[in-house]
Amino acid sequence: MVHNRRGSSMVLLTLFSAVSLFYLGATLFLFCGLKRLSSHSNGPKNLTYSIVIAARNEETTIAACLESVFSQTIDPHRYEVILVDDRSNDRTVDVAKSLAAKHPKLSILTIQQTPAGLSPKKHAVSQGVTRAKNEIVVFTDADCRVPPTWLDTIDRQFAADVGLVQGVTTYSYVKGMNAFFFGVQALDFLSHGIVAAAAIGSGFPLNSNANNLAFRKAAFDQLGGYGSAGSVVSGDDDLLLQRIGKCKKWAIRYMVDPHGAVETSPALTVKAMFEQRKRWGSKTVHYNKQQVVFLGGIFCFYLSIMASFLAALFSPKLWFVFAGMLLVKLLGESILMIPGTALFNKKELRSYIVPASILQPPMVVCAVVLGVFGKFTWKGQSYSRMIHAKK
């Protein structure tokens, strides 16, 4: 019996060591990608832009979003704004129409119904892209605020071979919100942007954010839009980034210039945040094989942290394994997040690295499992990860 317990402990120790080494290797790989990023711009290109904003029931945020978009410093004749109303049943369209009277560059496209088998968000933004008249399509969301220098900064990122530019998005504090909850959530959200930047720097485009995303309309049209990924509920950003990256014709850049950074609001409750994370986790199984293996290895590391904790409850000698894995997690986070917070001008969030690192494994594991195999709520509706066409 003693021999069996020792054998089981050795197997667990070997497994935990293997996934820990993988995690450290992954963070070092991303760290190198982060260091390869450059804030150097190519100079103004004088391109033309079509800003596409999909909105569903955003009456409280759409005015601030549009006003920030209309405040751009570039020549007003170089951009248009297309608001795609995705079946809103509040005053979103009324608010937008009142602004359209002052800003003739704004057009409103209303979606009455989503075709069977398509993601509502992907259908909405695809309709906006179809209507776009200009060279570069820019996505942001209806709950975001963009700086006046946004398009000017994006314009300097494009070269002849660049097909997509991803920019920074950060959370802005909501008055009255618990400071600790905001800080942990803001750091977690920022970590997704840091990983996106590092992966692009490594030549391994992984994840994206439609809050601040620009791409050539020609690239979107050549790829046939989202293709078969159109049925995946989430991923109007990640899956498009990966499709453009996979074709090898276009280069992808990450815009680290703070003059192009976008702000959005965090989830106001733990439940809302978890539903959001489930939605994000639901799309990961639709990445390509290399990306699934990469993220799967990190997922196994997080799962092993939880498993080592449970194992230590029954075998106190394994507490050192749990402690060791937590230290590995903190080391990996520090390797990536310390330079990342400096790059994104968010050093004030470093004080949340330790608590966020401890809370992240159970949240990620639960969110991915429930997002992939269960349902999540988005814009007041319940979804599984894929929309299936009705027979």
Side-chain angles (χ1 to χ4, degrees), residues 61-128:
T61 61
I62 190 61
C65 173
L66 289 174
E67 289 290 9
S68 71
V69 168
F70 294 138
S71 68
Q72 296 305 295
T73 53
I74 70 168
D75 184 343
H77 295 98
R78 288 175 52 200
Y79 72 98
E80 64 173 343
V81 183
I82 303 169
L83 176 69
V84 186
D85 167 44
D86 186 13
R87 303 161 295 131
S88 294
N89 51 30
D90 66 355
R91 297 187 61 257
T92 296
V93 174
D94 294 334
V95 174
K97 284 182 177 178
S98 67
L99 291 172
K102 298 186 296 180
H103 301 283
K105 65 171 66 66
L106 171 64
S107 62
I108 301 171
L109 172 63
T110 298
I111 303 294
Q112 300 288 357
Q113 187 175 2
T114 302
L118 288 181
S119 157
K121 179 69 177 291
K122 290 190 182 68
H123 173 66
V125 295
S126 294
Q127 293 302 301

